[in-house]
Amino acid sequence: MPEVSVIMPVYNITVLSSLSVLQTAVDSIKNQTCQDWELILCDDGSTDHTVQAVMKVIGNDKRIRLIRSRKNHGAGYARNLCIRASSGEYIAVMDADDISDARRLERQAAFLRKHKEYAFVGCNVKMIDSRGIWGVRRMKEMPDKRDFLSTLPFVHPSIMLRREIVRKLNGYSESAQALRVEDYELLMRLYACGYRGYNMQEMLFSYREDRNSYKKRKYRYRFHECRIRLKGFRDLGILRGHLWYVAKPLIAGMVPGCVMRKVRENRYGE
């Protein structure tokens, strides 16, 4: 039984990104200083040649498995399939276009072994795009529930969770209302149940996000986030006096792109 199960949903990678990006993501796990891991990829009902591409990347490595969903249900559903197929004590989340530092699994697993009071751990991250590193995100070390008001205080694909806890909470929401915000929903639910997370102040992850990615989110997903915020803030007991934070995604969606780009560059740019 491996100590760490890395879970990675994939969908239409030959259309949405390049095979080399997936190869780099998988290689970053193969090159970990901690070699006690398994990598489980879930094809979430791709309509292109994703399955063939993933099998080519996996090669003969028995530590890497591909499971499949016949239909596209979303990342939350795919991650839950991976979790159910996993056997590691810890679950390391990762997306198919990101890169884990070679020390990530070793450092995060060691932290969770030592600090039983935390249910999960994230880290600081480098922001990358097709041109390389364009910024950094330095996360609050010990977020409390009020830190969820402004934004998600963890970079979701950088986190490692205790498997028994995430299974106890039945994993990610598969509701249509949580689509594209299932990470926000899960982490607020963890906090509402009395669990806590921690951000290591090391750069152990490279998060692929185009500096113009604010353009990607369709407006209906902003409504999803508003609903998730409303319920999550209520469950956390932080809604009173903070209703405007519920509407923040809709307000942000009306800000001109050039302004949002400048805000992002000022916030994350090196």
Side-chain angles (χ1 to χ4, degrees):
M1 179 185 298
E3 181 178 33
V4 180
S5 296
V6 183
I7 63 171
M8 183 184 295
V10 293
Y11 176 70
N12 281 1
I13 61 169
T14 60
V15 172
L16 301 177
S17 60
S18 69
L19 180 60
S20 64
V21 169
L22 174 64
Q23 183 73 65
T24 300
V26 171
D27 285 347
S28 75
I29 298 301
K30 288 184 176 182
N31 295 330
Q32 291 291 302
T33 54
C34 166
Q35 285 292 301
D36 191 12
W37 55 263
E38 65 178 351
L39 171 58
I40 304 172
L41 300 100
C42 179
D43 172 55
D44 188 26
S46 294
T47 56
D48 63 355
H49 301 293
T50 288
V51 171
Q52 296 92 323
V54 170
M55 294 306 297
K56 182 177 180 181
V57 169
I58 290 175
N60 296 320
D61 197 322
K62 302 300 183 184
R63 300 169 298 175
I64 308 177
R65 287 183 286 153
L66 174 66
I67 58 179
R68 299 178 64 184
S69 170
R70 292 187 178 183
K71 295 182 179 180
N72 176 247
H73 294 282
Y77 179 90
R79 290 192 181 102
N80 284 341
L81 288 183
C82 290
I83 291 169
R84 287 194 287 270
S86 69
S87 57
E89 182 177 0
Y90 306 120
I91 300 291
V93 182
M94 189 165 169
D95 288 338
D97 57 354
D98 296 328
I99 304 170
S100 287
D101 181 271
R103 304 164 296 150
R104 178 197 173 190
L105 300 187
E106 178 185 7
R107 298 287 293 136
Q108 290 186 323
F111 177 89
L112 291 176
R113 282 197 302 271
K114 182 177 180 180
H115 297 279
K116 305 297 185 182
E117 67 272 27
Y118 290 105
F120 64 97
V121 60
C123 62
N124 290 339
V125 306
K126 300 172 185 176
M127 309 291 286
I128 61 172
D129 60 15
S130 59
R131 291 177 285 178
I133 301 171
W134 64 269
V136 297
R137 287 188 67 180
R138 294 181 173 87
M139 313 304 294
K140 183 175 180 180
E141 190 170 3
M142 293 180 284
D144 60 39
K145 60 184 181 181
R146 294 176 66 87
D147 291 310
F148 285 90
L149 287 169
S150 179
T151 189
L152 181 61
F154 299 89
V155 177
H156 172 248
S158 80
I159 68 171
M160 181 182 288
L161 308 103
R162 298 186 190 276
R163 180 169 172 267
E164 75 273 13
I165 291 177
V166 73
R167 286 177 64 90
K168 181 179 179 180
L169 269 64
N170 297 315
Y172 292 85
S173 172
E174 298 175 11
S175 165
Q177 283 70 41
L179 192 63
R180 299 293 180 90
V181 286
E182 61 278 340
D183 51 352
Y184 211 157
E185 191 279 335
L186 174 63
L187 299 190
M188 283 197 290
R189 183 154 40 97
L190 280 162
Y191 267 66
C193 290
Y195 298 109
R196 293 293 180 270
Y198 180 93
N199 280 312
M200 302 181 74
Q201 298 299 290
E202 302 175 58
M203 296 285 176
L204 297 173
F205 198 76
S206 294
Y207 181 52
R208 191 175 299 275
E209 185 173 82
D210 189 275
R211 63 196 77 195
N212 295 320
S213 64
Y214 56 84
K215 298 177 180 178
K216 295 190 301 185
R217 178 169 290 187
K218 295 180 179 178
Y219 221 77
R220 69 174 180 273
Y221 298 131
R222 295 184 181 275
F223 281 105
H224 290 179
E225 184 174 347
C226 290
R227 295 190 192 99
I228 292 301
R229 281 172 172 254
L230 179 63
K231 182 180 186 305
F233 297 169
R234 183 181 292 124
D235 292 345
L236 288 169
I238 58 175
L239 179 60
R240 186 174 181 179
H242 297 112
L243 270 174
W244 85 271
Y245 281 109
V246 174
K248 181 183 175 183
L250 298 181
I251 298 170
M254 293 185 286
V255 176
C258 59
V259 175
M260 287 301 297
R261 181 168 58 246
K262 182 61 65 174
V263 168
R264 289 171 61 80
E265 289 175 350
N266 290 339
R267 181 178 300 171
Y268 304 132
E270 291 188 298

mmCIF file of all heavy atoms in Angstrom, residues 94-95 97-101 104 123-128 133 155 157-158 203-209:
data_model
loop_
_atom_site.group_PDB
_atom_site.id
_atom_site.type_symbol
_atom_site.label_atom_id
_atom_site.label_comp_id
_atom_site.label_asym_id
_atom_site.label_seq_id
_atom_site.Cartn_x
_atom_site.Cartn_y
_atom_site.Cartn_z
ATOM 1 N N MET A 94 -3.942 16.988 -7.791
ATOM 2 C CA MET A 94 -3.125 17.594 -8.848
ATOM 3 C C MET A 94 -3.944 17.674 -10.125
ATOM 4 O O MET A 94 -4.779 16.801 -10.398
ATOM 5 C CB MET A 94 -1.848 16.783 -9.082
ATOM 6 C CG MET A 94 -0.859 17.480 -9.999
ATOM 7 S SD MET A 94 0.778 16.729 -9.898
ATOM 8 C CE MET A 94 1.573 17.523 -11.300
ATOM 9 N N ASP A 95 -3.730 18.732 -10.895
ATOM 10 C CA ASP A 95 -4.351 18.858 -12.211
ATOM 11 C C ASP A 95 -3.357 18.421 -13.284
ATOM 12 O O ASP A 95 -2.143 18.389 -13.055
ATOM 13 C CB ASP A 95 -4.810 20.295 -12.457
ATOM 14 C CG ASP A 95 -6.025 20.663 -11.622
ATOM 15 O OD1 ASP A 95 -6.749 19.742 -11.184
ATOM 16 O OD2 ASP A 95 -6.250 21.870 -11.394
ATOM 17 N N ASP A 97 -2.222 19.774 -15.843
ATOM 18 C CA ASP A 97 -1.346 20.759 -16.490
ATOM 19 C C ASP A 97 -0.440 21.476 -15.492
ATOM 20 O O ASP A 97 0.202 22.462 -15.834
ATOM 21 C CB ASP A 97 -2.168 21.778 -17.288
ATOM 22 C CG ASP A 97 -3.202 22.500 -16.443
ATOM 23 O OD1 ASP A 97 -3.369 22.149 -15.254
ATOM 24 O OD2 ASP A 97 -3.862 23.420 -16.969
ATOM 25 N N ASP A 98 -0.387 20.979 -14.257
ATOM 26 C CA ASP A 98 0.453 21.595 -13.235
ATOM 27 C C ASP A 98 1.724 20.778 -13.005
ATOM 28 O O ASP A 98 1.878 19.695 -13.559
ATOM 29 C CB ASP A 98 -0.331 21.745 -11.927
ATOM 30 C CG ASP A 98 -1.518 22.685 -12.068
ATOM 31 O OD1 ASP A 98 -1.417 23.641 -12.874
ATOM 32 O OD2 ASP A 98 -2.527 22.480 -11.386
ATOM 33 N N ILE A 99 2.605 21.288 -12.162
ATOM 34 C CA ILE A 99 3.897 20.635 -11.917
ATOM 35 C C ILE A 99 4.159 20.618 -10.416
ATOM 36 O O ILE A 99 4.108 21.666 -9.753
ATOM 37 C CB ILE A 99 5.055 21.369 -12.631
ATOM 38 C CG1 ILE A 99 4.786 21.474 -14.132
ATOM 39 C CG2 ILE A 99 6.382 20.662 -12.369
ATOM 40 C CD1 ILE A 99 5.768 22.394 -14.877
ATOM 41 N N SER A 100 4.449 19.430 -9.886
ATOM 42 C CA SER A 100 4.830 19.315 -8.477
ATOM 43 C C SER A 100 6.344 19.401 -8.345
ATOM 44 O O SER A 100 7.077 18.733 -9.083
ATOM 45 C CB SER A 100 4.344 17.979 -7.897
ATOM 46 O OG SER A 100 2.951 17.981 -7.711
ATOM 47 N N ASP A 101 6.799 20.220 -7.405
ATOM 48 C CA ASP A 101 8.221 20.240 -7.073
ATOM 49 C C ASP A 101 8.640 18.845 -6.625
ATOM 50 O O ASP A 101 7.838 18.094 -6.052
ATOM 51 C CB ASP A 101 8.458 21.251 -5.948
ATOM 52 C CG ASP A 101 9.925 21.359 -5.554
ATOM 53 O OD1 ASP A 101 10.349 20.595 -4.662
ATOM 54 O OD2 ASP A 101 10.627 22.201 -6.132
ATOM 55 N N ARG A 104 7.657 17.825 -3.118
ATOM 56 C CA ARG A 104 6.303 18.089 -2.643
ATOM 57 C C ARG A 104 5.743 16.938 -1.804
ATOM 58 O O ARG A 104 5.298 17.148 -0.662
ATOM 59 C CB ARG A 104 5.367 18.357 -3.824
ATOM 60 C CG ARG A 104 3.930 18.582 -3.356
ATOM 61 C CD ARG A 104 2.901 18.445 -4.443
ATOM 62 N NE ARG A 104 1.567 18.507 -3.874
ATOM 63 C CZ ARG A 104 0.467 18.220 -4.553
ATOM 64 N NH1 ARG A 104 0.533 17.863 -5.835
ATOM 65 N NH2 ARG A 104 -0.712 18.277 -3.954
ATOM 66 N N CYS A 123 0.465 24.774 0.004
ATOM 67 C CA CYS A 123 1.781 25.414 -0.028
ATOM 68 C C CYS A 123 1.716 26.679 -0.872
ATOM 69 O O CYS A 123 0.710 26.964 -1.527
ATOM 70 C CB CYS A 123 2.834 24.455 -0.595
ATOM 71 S SG CYS A 123 2.531 23.941 -2.302
ATOM 72 N N ASN A 124 2.809 27.431 -0.868
ATOM 73 C CA ASN A 124 2.962 28.545 -1.795
ATOM 74 C C ASN A 124 3.222 27.987 -3.196
ATOM 75 O O ASN A 124 3.723 26.863 -3.345
ATOM 76 C CB ASN A 124 4.115 29.440 -1.373
ATOM 77 C CG ASN A 124 3.820 30.218 -0.099
ATOM 78 O OD1 ASN A 124 2.656 30.413 0.269
ATOM 79 N ND2 ASN A 124 4.863 30.659 0.586
ATOM 80 N N VAL A 125 2.889 28.766 -4.215
ATOM 81 C CA VAL A 125 3.013 28.251 -5.572
ATOM 82 C C VAL A 125 3.610 29.286 -6.519
ATOM 83 O O VAL A 125 3.481 30.493 -6.310
ATOM 84 C CB VAL A 125 1.636 27.785 -6.132
ATOM 85 C CG1 VAL A 125 0.966 26.789 -5.203
ATOM 86 C CG2 VAL A 125 0.717 28.967 -6.400
ATOM 87 N N LYS A 126 4.256 28.774 -7.558
ATOM 88 C CA LYS A 126 4.669 29.599 -8.680
ATOM 89 C C LYS A 126 3.544 29.602 -9.705
ATOM 90 O O LYS A 126 2.924 28.567 -9.956
ATOM 91 C CB LYS A 126 5.940 29.035 -9.313
ATOM 92 C CG LYS A 126 7.130 28.958 -8.377
ATOM 93 C CD LYS A 126 8.293 28.215 -9.034
ATOM 94 C CE LYS A 126 9.450 28.033 -8.062
ATOM 95 N NZ LYS A 126 10.546 27.225 -8.669
ATOM 96 N N MET A 127 3.279 30.736 -10.306
ATOM 97 C CA MET A 127 2.271 30.861 -11.348
ATOM 98 C C MET A 127 2.973 30.725 -12.699
ATOM 99 O O MET A 127 3.939 31.437 -12.977
ATOM 100 C CB MET A 127 1.571 32.211 -11.265
ATOM 101 C CG MET A 127 1.028 32.558 -9.880
ATOM 102 S SD MET A 127 -0.356 31.536 -9.396
ATOM 103 C CE MET A 127 -1.644 32.245 -10.425
ATOM 104 N N ILE A 128 2.506 29.786 -13.520
ATOM 105 C CA ILE A 128 3.160 29.547 -14.800
ATOM 106 C C ILE A 128 2.147 29.588 -15.944
ATOM 107 O O ILE A 128 0.947 29.381 -15.752
ATOM 108 C CB ILE A 128 3.902 28.184 -14.822
ATOM 109 C CG1 ILE A 128 2.923 27.030 -14.596
ATOM 110 C CG2 ILE A 128 5.002 28.159 -13.775
ATOM 111 C CD1 ILE A 128 3.538 25.643 -14.798
ATOM 112 N N ILE A 133 7.374 31.060 -15.734
ATOM 113 C CA ILE A 133 6.900 31.631 -14.472
ATOM 114 C C ILE A 133 6.561 33.111 -14.668
ATOM 115 O O ILE A 133 7.381 33.880 -15.143
ATOM 116 C CB ILE A 133 7.969 31.488 -13.369
ATOM 117 C CG1 ILE A 133 8.319 30.009 -13.139
ATOM 118 C CG2 ILE A 133 7.487 32.127 -12.071
ATOM 119 C CD1 ILE A 133 9.508 29.800 -12.231
ATOM 120 N N VAL A 155 -4.450 26.999 -2.635
ATOM 121 C CA VAL A 155 -4.399 26.659 -4.059
ATOM 122 C C VAL A 155 -4.763 25.180 -4.133
ATOM 123 O O VAL A 155 -3.964 24.304 -3.774
ATOM 124 C CB VAL A 155 -3.012 26.915 -4.656
ATOM 125 C CG1 VAL A 155 -2.973 26.486 -6.116
ATOM 126 C CG2 VAL A 155 -2.653 28.398 -4.527
ATOM 127 N N PRO A 157 -5.135 22.511 -6.202
ATOM 128 C CA PRO A 157 -4.345 21.374 -6.687
ATOM 129 C C PRO A 157 -3.000 21.203 -5.997
ATOM 130 O O PRO A 157 -2.269 20.259 -6.304
ATOM 131 C CB PRO A 157 -4.169 21.662 -8.177
ATOM 132 C CG PRO A 157 -4.344 23.125 -8.305
ATOM 133 C CD PRO A 157 -5.333 23.523 -7.251
ATOM 134 N N SER A 158 -2.682 22.096 -5.038
ATOM 135 C CA SER A 158 -1.430 21.945 -4.293
ATOM 136 C C SER A 158 -1.627 21.198 -2.976
ATOM 137 O O SER A 158 -0.652 20.955 -2.256
ATOM 138 C CB SER A 158 -0.824 23.324 -3.987
ATOM 139 O OG SER A 158 -1.454 23.935 -2.864
ATOM 140 N N MET A 203 7.730 26.923 -1.778
ATOM 141 C CA MET A 203 7.240 26.848 -3.152
ATOM 142 C C MET A 203 7.381 25.408 -3.629
ATOM 143 O O MET A 203 8.420 25.006 -4.162
ATOM 144 C CB MET A 203 8.043 27.785 -4.062
ATOM 145 C CG MET A 203 7.902 29.253 -3.737
ATOM 146 S SD MET A 203 6.296 29.890 -4.279
ATOM 147 C CE MET A 203 6.413 31.590 -3.656
ATOM 148 N N LEU A 204 6.317 24.626 -3.429
ATOM 149 C CA LEU A 204 6.374 23.198 -3.752
ATOM 150 C C LEU A 204 5.500 22.842 -4.943
ATOM 151 O O LEU A 204 5.318 21.657 -5.238
ATOM 152 C CB LEU A 204 5.931 22.369 -2.533
ATOM 153 C CG LEU A 204 6.803 22.485 -1.277
ATOM 154 C CD1 LEU A 204 6.159 21.753 -0.118
ATOM 155 C CD2 LEU A 204 8.208 21.956 -1.553
ATOM 156 N N PHE A 205 4.997 23.861 -5.649
ATOM 157 C CA PHE A 205 4.038 23.585 -6.714
ATOM 158 C C PHE A 205 4.072 24.699 -7.744
ATOM 159 O O PHE A 205 4.264 25.864 -7.403
ATOM 160 C CB PHE A 205 2.630 23.493 -6.113
ATOM 161 C CG PHE A 205 1.615 22.800 -6.987
ATOM 162 C CD1 PHE A 205 1.618 21.426 -7.120
ATOM 163 C CD2 PHE A 205 0.655 23.538 -7.656
ATOM 164 C CE1 PHE A 205 0.674 20.796 -7.913
ATOM 165 C CE2 PHE A 205 -0.288 22.914 -8.450
ATOM 166 C CZ PHE A 205 -0.282 21.530 -8.578
ATOM 167 N N SER A 206 3.902 24.325 -8.999
ATOM 168 C CA SER A 206 3.763 25.296 -10.088
ATOM 169 C C SER A 206 2.365 25.170 -10.656
ATOM 170 O O SER A 206 1.981 24.108 -11.167
ATOM 171 C CB SER A 206 4.818 25.048 -11.186
ATOM 172 O OG SER A 206 6.120 25.294 -10.693
ATOM 173 N N TYR A 207 1.609 26.245 -10.531
ATOM 174 C CA TYR A 207 0.193 26.263 -10.887
ATOM 175 C C TYR A 207 0.017 26.934 -12.244
ATOM 176 O O TYR A 207 0.354 28.106 -12.413
ATOM 177 C CB TYR A 207 -0.572 27.024 -9.807
ATOM 178 C CG TYR A 207 -2.053 27.125 -9.999
ATOM 179 C CD1 TYR A 207 -2.826 25.998 -10.240
ATOM 180 C CD2 TYR A 207 -2.697 28.362 -9.919
ATOM 181 C CE1 TYR A 207 -4.198 26.090 -10.393
ATOM 182 C CE2 TYR A 207 -4.060 28.475 -10.066
ATOM 183 C CZ TYR A 207 -4.821 27.328 -10.304
ATOM 184 O OH TYR A 207 -6.177 27.428 -10.457
ATOM 185 N N ARG A 208 -0.502 26.173 -13.203
ATOM 186 C CA ARG A 208 -0.646 26.709 -14.554
ATOM 187 C C ARG A 208 -1.926 27.517 -14.664
ATOM 188 O O ARG A 208 -3.028 26.992 -14.611
ATOM 189 C CB ARG A 208 -0.646 25.584 -15.589
ATOM 190 C CG ARG A 208 -0.529 26.084 -17.029
ATOM 191 C CD ARG A 208 -0.409 24.926 -18.015
ATOM 192 N NE ARG A 208 0.770 24.126 -17.756
ATOM 193 C CZ ARG A 208 1.989 24.387 -18.224
ATOM 194 N NH1 ARG A 208 2.168 25.454 -18.985
ATOM 195 N NH2 ARG A 208 3.007 23.611 -17.935
ATOM 196 N N GLU A 209 -1.753 28.804 -14.791
ATOM 197 C CA GLU A 209 -2.889 29.706 -14.955
ATOM 198 C C GLU A 209 -2.447 30.865 -15.817
ATOM 199 O O GLU A 209 -1.551 31.622 -15.444
ATOM 200 C CB GLU A 209 -3.399 30.213 -13.604
ATOM 201 C CG GLU A 209 -4.649 31.047 -13.721
ATOM 202 C CD GLU A 209 -5.234 31.393 -12.366
ATOM 203 O OE1 GLU A 209 -4.749 32.359 -11.744
ATOM 204 O OE2 GLU A 209 -6.162 30.700 -11.923
#
